[in-house]
Amino acid sequence: MLLIRGGRVVNSQARRADPADVLIAGDTILEIGPPDLASPDDATVIEAQQRLLMPGLVNAHTHSHANLPRSLGDRWTLELHLNGNTAARENLTNEDKYLAAQIGAVDMIRKGCTACYDLIYEFPAPSVDGLNAVAQGYFDAGMRAVVAPMMADGIFYEAVPGLMDVLPEDLRAEIERKPRLKRWQEGLDVARKSLHQWPFDRDRVRVAVAPTIPAHCSDEFLVNAAKLTRDYDIGLHTHLAESKVQAIAGLELYDKTLTAHLEDLGVLGSNFTAAHGVWLDDEDMSRLADSGSMVAHNPASNMRLGSGMARVRHMIDCNLAVGVGTDSRSSSDNLNMFEAMRLASFTSRIQGPDYKRWLTTDEVFAMATVESAKVLGMADRIGTLAPGYKADIVFLDTRNPNYVPLRNVMDQIVNGEDGTGVASVMIGGRMVFEDGHMTTLDYDALVSKIENAVERLSTQGKQSTALANKLEEIVGSFCVGLARTPYHVHRYCGLP
Ligand SMILES: [Zn+2]
């Protein structure tokens, strides 16, 4: 048993943090009560004076494969990102995938995040060993995660109508020569095998499935991926209407919106998460809400890639569950969930003059905890500090300048905290970050292994990088042209 004594437990709905003690049995909260809570004599006491205790933040959308080849392009749209980001991730070994998960876990944990939904790309196809390596990375770091092999039986260049036709012959041939997942059945077989032989505690790390982007996937693949996830009662996650180019391409390819297409295929449902959803129209949001689907909102990535701003207030009006994510370190450069909350709050405020439509800080906090926990399929065990929930607890230092003076706890956590106020982090009753250090791994050793890996990867990726560089100008200008097409939700998205 553990007793956390002398802290103040954040109550986001009441917008207060009152003194309370927390009694923990194993990995679960047993009781939260007034100061001097009775506890067994042999309970280990953790002193939490000058600490705010809040539930660990839950990252609803990220990609560990982008943790090593990170921050590659500056003025990159989503499409330039999809073109240019492939090179460095083609040669990741299983050891690299493990290291990538670990550095991501460190980045998240020390900034107050205790669980994430990781969509993992493996080149050219997913593998049981690769998925296990990522899961092991999170498991050893002490973090909770949903790991989803991200796959498609098509490729980006073919998913943008007309793009392949404008490419010079030699570049097109080079793209066509690249290995790829040829049969969707192979990808789903990997997910099925992993589910049957999963060596990890599913409360800690579990499997989901992620068809990358609808237009990169055949209808048959999408239908069968959805069926598999329903058969095994696991999550299904895809990037949906992230950029205007995707939305326009969807209309050209399917003669209906991407969301309508997924609805017609029977893909939507209570295990389905749509990442981004910047270019959803009102009917799309109703489609998602009516099917019990969820959204992972990634405000930093949406701005970094110039994708636009998701209409989160309208999603909430539709009763859609909306979690918050960081997206990857190559599309939003860090995995700071405090920053993701801050940007979710702020972007809601520049979408219109009616301040009553802006997100409140307690709404944003709920999105990054309770709602993100729903996205991970773990709402009954994480995202809340209450008896019966896992002891995933972030300790904030009230002597940090972020809280001096402590005046409005929700405003200071959601709009003000940048991660520097995190004093320690507990996951499942275990302190994984304390006194500025991870307790679960040797950080210096991790850094030097990553430096070695990245040196090797840059050499191995030279040819692919050269191809991406040659394609960049053509992909960029073609997609800008496509994005000039009028699209009926664009008036909502804050883009010219
Ligand atoms: Zn993503």
Side-chain angles (χ1 to χ4, degrees):
M1 290 250 195
L2 282 176
L3 179 70
I4 304 175
R5 191 167 62 187
R8 295 168 65 175
V9 175
V10 172
N11 180 336
S12 60
Q13 279 159 333
R15 307 172 70 86
R16 286 206 317 263
D18 295 328
D21 290 354
V22 181
L23 187 62
I24 295 162
D27 66 354
T28 302
I29 298 171
L30 198 61
E31 195 179 347
I32 299 180
D36 301 321
L37 184 68
S39 66
D41 290 342
D42 59 350
T44 304
V45 174
I46 296 174
E47 297 293 350
Q49 283 79 21
Q50 295 164 348
R51 296 285 183 266
L52 295 170
L53 309 181
M54 57 165 256
L57 300 172
V58 180
N59 188 347
H61 184 86
T62 188
H63 302 281
S64 62
H65 62 257
N67 285 342
L68 300 192
R70 62 172 300 189
S71 306
L72 292 177
D74 181 3
R75 293 195 297 183
W76 271 2
T77 61
L78 173 67
E79 286 69 33
L80 289 176
H81 172 81
L82 293 170
N83 170 63
N85 189 40
T86 47
R89 64 189 195 185
E90 284 178 357
N91 299 292
L92 294 173
T93 63
N94 289 338
E95 169 72 5
D96 296 336
K97 292 165 199 168
Y98 175 86
L99 299 174
Q102 289 236 304
I103 193 65
V106 174
D107 201 4
M108 287 186 265
I109 288 171
R110 59 185 299 150
K111 293 165 192 164
C113 172
T114 53
C116 72
Y117 204 138
D118 182 2
L119 285 70
I120 304 147
Y121 175 75
E122 289 185 79
F123 179 82
S127 69
V128 173
D129 290 346
L131 195 60
N132 280 350
V134 174
Q136 191 75 52
Y138 287 117
F139 191 85
D140 292 349
M143 188 165 180
R144 245 177 258 286
V146 175
V147 291
M150 185 172 84
M151 52 189 149
D153 53 346
I155 56 168
F156 158 68
Y157 305 97
E158 294 166 352
V160 180
L163 177 57
M164 281 298 260
D165 302 333
V166 301
L167 298 182
E169 186 81 18
D170 57 328
L171 299 184
R172 195 164 58 220
E174 219 177 314
I175 289 171
E176 281 164 352
R177 272 199 304 274
K178 272 184 182 280
R180 58 162 96 176
L181 175 68
K182 289 200 179 65
R183 296 174 60 249
W184 55 262
Q185 288 90 338
E186 284 168 33
L188 293 186
D189 278 350
V190 166
R192 199 174 288 110
K193 256 185 219 151
S194 290
L195 285 158
H196 282 273
Q197 314 162 2
W198 195 239
F200 304 97
D201 172 0
R202 284 163 209 246
D203 264 2
R204 289 279 307 282
V205 190
R206 61 174 68 167
V207 179
V209 171
T212 313
I213 291 169
H216 298 201
C217 302
S218 67
D219 294 355
E220 215 181 359
F221 170 45
L222 289 166
V223 167
N224 282 282
K227 183 177 180 317
L228 181 139
T229 60
R230 280 195 286 266
D231 288 349
Y232 287 86
D233 194 21
I234 59 170
L236 178 66
H237 198 141
T238 192
H239 297 84
L240 185 61
E242 177 174 351
S243 70
K244 191 177 175 190
V245 168
Q246 277 185 3
I248 290 164
L251 284 184
E252 281 197 34
L253 292 166
Y254 309 116
D255 207 22
K256 59 183 104 160
T257 67
L258 293 162
T259 313
H261 176 61
L262 293 186
E263 182 185 45
D264 290 350
L265 293 178
V267 168
L268 307 184
S270 58
N271 68 336
F272 176 78
T273 301
H276 301 278
V278 173
W279 292 86
L280 299 173
D281 64 24
D282 292 2
E283 292 75 29
D284 289 337
M285 289 190 199
S286 300
R287 287 182 178 102
L288 291 171
D290 294 347
S291 61
S293 302
M294 298 162 284
V295 170
H297 175 40
N298 302 290
S301 172
N302 294 341
M303 287 194 279
R304 166 73 151 92
L305 301 175
S307 301
M309 286 176 282
R311 295 184 298 138
V312 175
R313 170 58 70 201
H314 193 87
M315 292 174 183
I316 293 174
D317 287 346
C318 295
N319 283 324
L320 254 172
V322 183
V324 177
T326 58
D327 210 353
S328 78
R329 296 211 298 175
S330 57
S331 64
S332 62
D333 305 280
N334 68 34
L335 307 178
N336 187 341
M337 277 296 293
F338 283 111
E339 194 176 286
M341 282 201 292
R342 188 169 195 248
L343 293 175
S345 169
F346 288 4
T347 52
S348 80
R349 291 155 200 252
I350 56 169
Q351 289 179 300
D354 183 358
Y355 61 91
K356 292 188 177 169
R357 304 281 299 161
W358 298 352
L359 298 177
T360 63
T361 48
D362 51 307
E363 280 179 314
V364 173
F365 191 76
M367 283 163 56
T369 51
V370 181
E371 301 298 305
S372 282
K374 276 186 205 164
V375 170
L376 268 65
M378 296 186 179
D380 57 344
R381 61 203 77 191
I382 63 170
T384 303
L385 295 189
Y389 282 79
K390 298 293 183 192
D392 293 2
I393 304 174
V394 175
F395 297 65
L396 297 169
D397 179 2
T398 56
R399 291 185 57 76
N400 181 282
N402 291 341
Y403 302 101
V404 181
L406 183 54
R407 197 178 287 281
N408 178 327
V409 71
M410 290 321 295
D411 182 70
Q412 284 169 268
I413 290 175
V414 172
N415 287 340
E417 178 60 62
D418 52 5
T420 57
V422 174
S424 40
V425 177
M426 173 183 281
I427 302 179
R430 176 188 187 198
M431 265 319 180
V432 295
F433 178 72
E434 209 167 16
D435 300 325
H437 297 285
M438 292 292 294
T439 65
T440 49
L441 52 84
D442 179 344
Y443 186 68
D444 291 337
L446 176 64
V447 171
S448 71
K449 282 181 196 164
I450 286 175
E451 282 168 351
N452 290 336
V454 167
E455 205 176 310
R456 191 195 78 246
L457 289 166
S458 350
T459 312
Q460 289 174 324
K462 270 197 178 127
Q463 203 182 342
S464 290
T465 303
L467 174 62
N469 290 344
K470 281 186 237 166
L471 287 163
E472 183 164 324
E473 181 57 38
I474 309 171
V475 171
S477 53
F478 185 87
C479 290
V480 168
L482 200 59
R484 293 205 197 282
T485 313
Y487 189 80
H488 59 294
V489 297
H490 98 280
R491 66 182 181 274
Y492 297 116
C493 299
L495 284 177

